[in-house]
Amino acid sequence: GADGPVEILRRLFAAMQSGSRKAADTTAFARSLGLETGTQQDGQEFLKLLLTFLERAVGSSPDPGARTFIADHFRGVSTYATTCQRCGCASEASSKPVDLYEVELNVGATVGGVYVGGAGGGGGGGRKGGGGG
């Protein structure tokens, strides 16, 4: 039968590390994930897809370190705080941590007193994140 995505990824990494070629062909790996190889993929979306796939693939591993590898190395936690202006207390719902695998960073500049750039016009919506592991 055909090799699965994990084995194909293993061979791809081996070819990149030890191969004599300057480039590696990722077509077999992309096809094993069911991706359209003729269409350019957004890097951030691909990383989310890849991490989700790998987390599921190793989820049933007998090795506890393998089962948690993706979460330990790529997951952070985000919390939002909605604070009452009268008493200063944060709402219960906003204090619950949410897992995340990416942090949005809006980059822009102030030119002549006017903010330009950054999709969303400024801060990250109060999001605070930390890296895993």
Side-chain angles (χ1 to χ4, degrees), residues 82-91:
T82 303
T83 307
C84 175
Q85 290 184 339
R86 260 190 259 158
C87 70
C89 293
S91 70

Side-chain angles (χ1 to χ4, degrees), residues 11-77:
R11 284 198 306 259
L12 178 60
F13 284 150
M16 289 190 299
Q17 182 174 6
S18 304
S20 59
R21 298 176 67 185
K22 292 184 179 185
D25 185 0
T26 60
T27 304
F29 180 62
R31 285 191 180 142
S32 74
L33 292 175
L35 299 175
E36 176 61 47
T37 58
T39 305
Q40 184 174 348
Q41 298 288 322
D42 176 80
Q44 184 178 4
E45 291 298 319
F46 176 74
L47 179 61
K48 277 199 297 191
L49 178 130
L50 179 61
L51 291 178
T52 300
F53 172 81
L54 291 174
E55 198 164 31
R56 286 184 190 144
V58 298
S60 60
S61 171
D63 178 3
R67 284 194 303 264
T68 62
F69 181 84
I70 300 297
D72 291 346
H73 290 84
F74 294 96
R75 182 178 61 197
V77 177

